[in-house]
């Protein structure tokens, strides 16, 4: 038996960070939600039941957390840094899908979230 596609998902990761173009965004901060989908082959881990044969979710979370805590003007830039970090730190990742949403953005609109989605491949 062979799986066609395998993904590791980290969904609804919550962060408080200081991203934004407006000065108030950099001083007040906001709540963000990050979703990650990592394409990788974890068939060996499925057989062995060993963490060494897959990607450690906690390490992915920590890498994402570190990148989220570096202030940026644009969420596009934050997603790029997260994608680059994941690809460099976890060589078995073939592709990563990233979405980042800012809760209650200061744009004069009645909305819950605004954000970006992107995909990176090797």
């Amino acid at each position: 038996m062979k799986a066609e596609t395998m993904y590791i998902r980290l969904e609804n990761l919550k962060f408080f960070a200081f991203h934004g173009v407006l000065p108030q965004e950099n001083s007040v901060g906001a709540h963000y939600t990050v979703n990650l989908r990592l394409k990788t082959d974890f068939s060996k881990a499925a057989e062995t039941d060993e963490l060494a044969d897959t990607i450690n979710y906690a390490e992915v979370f920590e890498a994402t957390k570190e990148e989220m805590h570096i202030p940026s003007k644009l969420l596009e830039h934050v997603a790029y840094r997260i994608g680059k970090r994941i690809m460099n730190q976890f060589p078995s990742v073939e592709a990563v899908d990233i979405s980042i949403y800012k809760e209650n953005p200061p744009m004069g609109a009645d909305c819950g979230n605004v954000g970006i989605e992107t995909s990176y491949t090797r």
Side-chain angles (χ1 to χ4, degrees):
M1 172 174 72
K2 179 166 174 60
E4 285 190 29
T5 55
M6 299 179 187
Y7 297 97
I8 291 175
R9 299 180 71 108
L10 287 83
E11 295 187 353
N12 297 317
L13 303 175
K14 303 293 185 185
F15 300 99
F16 188 83
F18 297 88
H19 306 303
V21 176
L22 302 175
Q24 76 182 49
E25 295 175 289
N26 297 303
S27 61
V28 175
H31 293 277
Y32 295 85
T33 302
V34 176
N35 299 298
L36 302 171
R37 185 174 83 152
L38 286 62
K39 184 176 183 182
T40 187
D41 182 351
F42 54 76
S43 55
K44 186 173 180 183
E47 291 180 29
T48 65
D49 199 25
E50 294 294 330
L51 180 58
D53 295 328
T54 190
I55 295 170
N56 185 324
Y57 311 157
E59 291 177 4
V60 174
F61 171 77
E62 285 301 318
T64 304
K65 179 180 169 182
E66 289 175 13
E67 294 301 329
M68 282 298 294
H69 283 105
I70 300 170
S72 293
K73 290 183 277 187
L74 302 176
L75 295 182
E76 293 86 342
H77 182 68
V78 179
Y80 171 79
R81 286 198 333 265
I82 291 170
K84 185 176 177 181
R85 173 88 177 260
I86 288 171
M87 293 291 210
N88 287 336
Q89 190 169 338
F90 306 97
S92 64
V93 172
E94 300 169 30
V96 60
D97 298 331
I98 303 166
S99 63
I100 305 174
Y101 299 97
K102 179 185 280 192
E103 297 177 16
N104 195 25
M107 54 188 247
D110 185 12
C111 67
N113 298 311
V114 297
I116 59 100
E117 295 181 20
T118 187
S119 298
Y120 296 104
T121 60
R122 291 202 184 274

